[in-house]
Amino acid sequence: MRNLFAVLIAVSLTLMVGTGVAAEVAQRPFAPVQNGPVQSAPEVQQWATDHLMVQLTVNGYERASLPNPGDKTAGAAAETGIASLDQAMKEMSVTGLRAAYPMVANKSMASDLGTNRWFIFDVANGADIEAVASRLTSDPNVVVAHPDWIAFPAAIPNDPLHSGHWGHNNTSQLGSGGSHSGPGIGTVGFDANAHAAWNSPLGYGDANVVIAILDSGVDAGHPDLVQVAGYDFGDSDNNPTDDSSDPGHGTACAGVAAATANNALGVAGVSGASKIMPLKVSNSAGSLFFSAIDNALYFAADNGAHIASMSFGAATTSIPSTNAALTYAYNQGVTLLAATGNENASTISYPAIYNRVIAVGAASPCGDRKRSSSSSAQVNPGIN
């Protein structure tokens, strides 16, 4: 419990409080938080434009001729062999389909969740994804079809030294240097009581605890992080280092959770004796598709992760394919934590809103609702 609490606090310090989910529209304003606060941001897509997620019914799956989830060399298929579904695919410019997830360890649970019946349907560029999803869902062989949503990273701190990390030990130390000026800022004692926890018999945490960081990746060979084997699900390779076009977010989250403590180097993670499992879900362009996140959740559950940190969210309340992955990981004993969101809306982001996930937000050093910047001229879109 001490380690779970420690990581909960660690993740909470990385996230900004959000209070809602926007309407499900194709675009939203977004600027990467690691680049600093801005006054405006470009509109970006909320989901993939060249593919979508489709789950077949049990009967449809048994009737179809499809790529085997356990065969990574199977590639894509041009059709299903089911006349009505193939006709719908033709009408909606679907160009092929492929298994969405590999075979997972718990076959019984996978069968209950229908993991092997999820497929990625590729479509011609420019297709109306919502229209394609609606048409495919209407086929009796399909349980549901939906867009492959994009996750958006939540805000992160940038504390270079432990003495400045008020979340561990708030002494009202903010107020000199950096973007802050003037007298001390912060409520003394409003913190995680990390020092008291570290002075307990468990010290800096349990070295056997593995924290999966689902994010932009983690710097390979980082001197302040102990890492176990991970994977890059964004680009489908064995190198989960933090090297996309928008790097830094995952490494920072890993450091907040488990930067090695008491080693005279860098910062001290709140569970600084634990290990990091880097699971990169960002592709080389910096996009985080939920199909990659789902695969990372299955990997974490089957490869010894105790905790999964998801410092991102989407402006929706449910994604059926990800619900199954979250449920699988939860039932395998993984503690799931996710960002409440940065949207300043009335409902927290997904997957934090899912009932098997611990939703985590953050507060200012004074115990107030968190904002993106102390300057009113530097507020990311939709954030107060």
Side-chain angles (χ1 to χ4, degrees):
M1 285 301 294
R2 151 62 188 114
N3 284 292
L4 172 58
F5 174 76
V7 175
L8 172 61
I9 294 299
V11 177
S12 74
L13 297 176
T14 76
L15 309 179
M16 296 185 63
V17 170
T19 58
V21 171
E24 293 190 0
V25 294
Q27 294 188 324
R28 61 172 281 180
F30 176 69
V33 294
Q34 56 265 47
N35 295 339
V38 297
Q39 291 177 299
S40 62
E43 294 283 324
V44 298
Q45 285 293 133
Q46 292 218 79
W47 49 71
T49 59
D50 61 353
H51 66 272
L52 72 162
M53 309 298 295
V54 180
Q55 187 185 40
L56 300 184
T57 64
V58 173
N59 183 57
Y61 180 74
E62 291 174 347
R63 292 174 56 203
S65 176
L66 296 166
N68 186 339
D71 183 2
K72 292 185 178 181
T73 65
E79 56 186 22
T80 66
I82 301 174
S84 64
L85 185 52
D86 289 343
Q87 178 60 34
M89 291 167 60
K90 182 178 179 180
E91 291 175 7
M92 304 310 296
S93 301
V94 175
T95 59
L97 68 153
R98 48 206 158 93
Y101 312 119
M103 298 295 288
V104 295
N106 190 323
K107 301 298 190 295
S108 176
M109 193 191 314
S111 178
D112 291 341
L113 295 170
T115 300
N116 62 321
R117 294 186 280 110
W118 279 103
F119 292 85
I120 295 175
F121 279 44
D122 295 313
V123 299
N125 200 21
D128 184 335
I129 296 296
E130 290 180 294
V132 177
S134 177
R135 175 66 179 88
L136 294 177
T137 300
S138 70
D139 187 276
N141 298 285
V142 173
V143 177
V144 63
H146 62 71
D148 189 1
W149 283 77
I150 297 172
F152 294 88
I156 55 175
N158 187 23
D159 300 318
L161 299 171
H162 170 60
S163 62
H165 198 164
W166 66 265
H168 287 340
N169 184 41
N170 194 341
T171 61
S172 189
Q173 65 264 55
L174 294 183
S176 61
S179 60
H180 303 281
S181 62
I185 298 171
T187 300
V188 174
F190 181 77
D191 51 50
N193 289 321
H195 287 184
W198 293 338
N199 286 327
S200 75
L202 289 174
Y204 293 106
D206 189 337
N208 295 313
V209 169
V210 176
I211 305 165
I213 302 293
L214 282 66
D215 214 290
S216 61
V218 177
D219 284 349
H222 193 292
D224 212 17
L225 296 170
V226 177
Q227 301 184 49
V228 300
Y231 194 79
D232 179 353
F233 293 97
D235 292 320
S236 299
D237 59 50
N238 291 311
N239 181 19
T241 195
D242 200 348
D243 62 357
S244 72
S245 63
D246 286 316
H249 192 269
T251 301
C253 289
V256 171
T260 303
N262 203 34
N263 66 343
L265 179 67
V267 298
V270 74
S271 187
S274 299
K275 297 180 176 67
I276 293 294
M277 176 185 288
L279 298 180
K280 183 182 175 188
V281 293
S282 171
N283 61 23
S284 57
S287 297
L288 284 68
F289 291 110
F290 270 90
S291 54
I293 292 166
D294 301 343
N295 272 293
L297 285 165
Y298 289 123
F299 183 96
D302 286 347
N303 288 276
H306 302 92
I307 296 160
S309 168
M310 298 173 285
S311 186
F312 49 70
T316 186
T317 57
S318 180
I319 301 176
S321 53
T322 305
N323 292 348
L326 291 166
T327 299
Y328 181 87
Y330 176 87
N331 288 343
Q332 291 286 84
V334 180
T335 299
L336 305 166
L337 303 103
T340 54
N342 292 342
E343 291 79 20
N344 192 32
S346 58
T347 306
I348 63 176
S349 294
Y350 181 89
I353 197 171
Y354 193 60
N355 61 8
R356 289 174 173 82
V357 178
I358 299 173
V360 186
S364 77
C366 300
D368 298 322
R369 181 176 176 178
K370 191 73 172 65
R371 60 177 290 141
S372 60
S373 172
S374 60
S375 171
S376 61
Q378 293 182 323
V379 179
N380 283 336
I383 303 173
N384 289 329

